[in-house]
């Protein structure tokens, strides 16, 4: 007697759905969806970004970004409205770790730079001396249609109107992902008063 897995209605949805018109990708993880914009995420931490931030290395294309998300954002990690997956070793040099904790004598005396609206301490570093890292952090939040550029409508159309975002257990958006040690948002002044970002001279 043969046993068959009962086919889920979610199985009719491809693991990866791409919507080039709005530059958005939808990744299906079992009965949940993850929405992300490769150009936005790579723009924040890509090699061409002018901002002081942890820069990606070996994760430079939408395909490489997708492979990292598929491998490390697993169903059991997708719980709750906000998901923080911290310091996962992804097995390749994914970027540079430019976060350092300050000794007490350096707090309040370092130069600062405005990074996404917050003044952040800087430590100027010789070119090529910022250490590489294989750690990656993922932060996902509940999907908000206001910021989705109509992806939920395009998704429904792609699947003939037979399945919508509303039928999935949860739909997440990738708020950010970044290499290196985990750090809270720049608005967390207690943390950032005691830490700095390395910046090449």
């Amino acid at each position: 007697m043969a046993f068959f897995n009962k086919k889920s209605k979610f199985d009719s949805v491809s693991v990866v759905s791409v919507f080039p018109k709005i530059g958005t990708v939808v990744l299906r993880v079992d009965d949940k969806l993850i929405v992300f914009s490769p150009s936005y995420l790579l723009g924040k931490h890509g090699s061409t970004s002018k901002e002081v931030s942890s820069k990606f290395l070996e994760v430079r294309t939408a395909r490489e970004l997708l492979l990292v998300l598929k491998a490390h954002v697993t169903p059991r990690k997708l719980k709750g409205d906000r998901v923080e997956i911290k310091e996962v070793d992804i097995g390749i040099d994914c970027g540079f770790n430019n976060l350092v904790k300050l000794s007490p004598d350096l707090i309040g005396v370092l130069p600062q730079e405005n990074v996404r609206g917050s003044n952040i301490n800087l430590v100027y570093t010789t070119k090529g001396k910022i250490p590489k890292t294989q750690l990656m952090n993922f932060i996902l939040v509940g999907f908000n249609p206001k910021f989705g550029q109509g992806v939920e409508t395009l998704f429904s159309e792609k699947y003939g109107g037979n399945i919508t975002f509303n039928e999935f257990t949860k739909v997440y958006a990738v708020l950010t992902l970044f290499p290196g040690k985990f750090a809270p948002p720049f608005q967390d002044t207690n943390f950032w008063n005691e830490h700095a970002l390395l910046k090449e001279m």
Side-chain angles (χ1 to χ4, degrees), residues 33 35 81 141-152 165 170-173:
L33 296 177
V35 179
D81 291 329
V141 294
F143 172 74
N144 187 331
K146 265 197 319 195
F147 306 113
Q149 298 180 285
V151 67
E152 66 278 22
F165 273 21
K170 189 76 180 171
V171 181
Y172 291 98

Side-chain angles (χ1 to χ4, degrees), residues 145-164:
K146 265 197 319 195
F147 306 113
Q149 298 180 285
V151 67
E152 66 278 22
T153 303
L154 294 174
F155 180 89
S156 178
E157 288 170 359
K158 180 180 176 78
Y159 294 103
N162 295 322
I163 192 160
T164 66

Side-chain angles (χ1 to χ4, degrees), residues 76-191:
R76 65 181 187 80
K77 293 176 182 172
L78 291 175
K79 290 186 172 37
D81 291 329
R82 181 183 173 95
V83 177
E84 294 183 355
I85 306 170
K86 301 175 184 178
E87 299 179 8
V88 176
D89 187 338
I90 69 166
I92 58 170
D93 289 337
C94 56
F96 296 96
N97 186 38
N98 66 346
L99 177 69
V100 290
K101 184 163 174 56
L102 300 176
S103 58
D105 57 310
L106 290 177
I107 294 174
V109 299
L110 290 174
Q112 295 188 326
E113 186 170 308
N114 188 294
V115 184
R116 294 195 278 281
S118 298
N119 289 327
I120 301 301
N121 297 311
L122 294 183
V123 174
Y124 290 101
T125 308
T126 308
K127 194 163 180 63
K129 294 295 184 186
I130 297 178
K132 292 179 182 178
T133 183
Q134 296 194 348
L135 301 180
M136 182 77 85
N137 303 278
F138 307 83
I139 300 179
L140 292 80
V141 294
F143 172 74
N144 187 331
K146 265 197 319 195
F147 306 113
Q149 298 180 285
V151 67
E152 66 278 22
T153 303
L154 294 174
F155 180 89
S156 178
E157 288 170 359
K158 180 180 176 78
Y159 294 103
N162 295 322
I163 192 160
T164 66
F165 273 21
N166 292 337
E167 292 172 73
F168 285 83
T169 309
K170 189 76 180 171
V171 181
Y172 291 98
V174 180
L175 180 64
T176 190
L177 70 161
F178 56 92
K181 291 285 188 184
F182 181 80
F186 290 128
Q187 294 78 13
D188 186 337
T189 51
N190 288 336
F191 179 90

Side-chain angles (χ1 to χ4, degrees), residues 54-71:
S54 300
K55 298 288 189 283
F56 286 135
L57 188 69
E58 304 293 333
V59 182
R60 294 187 172 146
T61 67
R63 183 178 181 281
E64 289 166 344
L65 195 59
L66 173 63
L67 291 174
V68 168
L69 282 164
K70 274 179 70 176

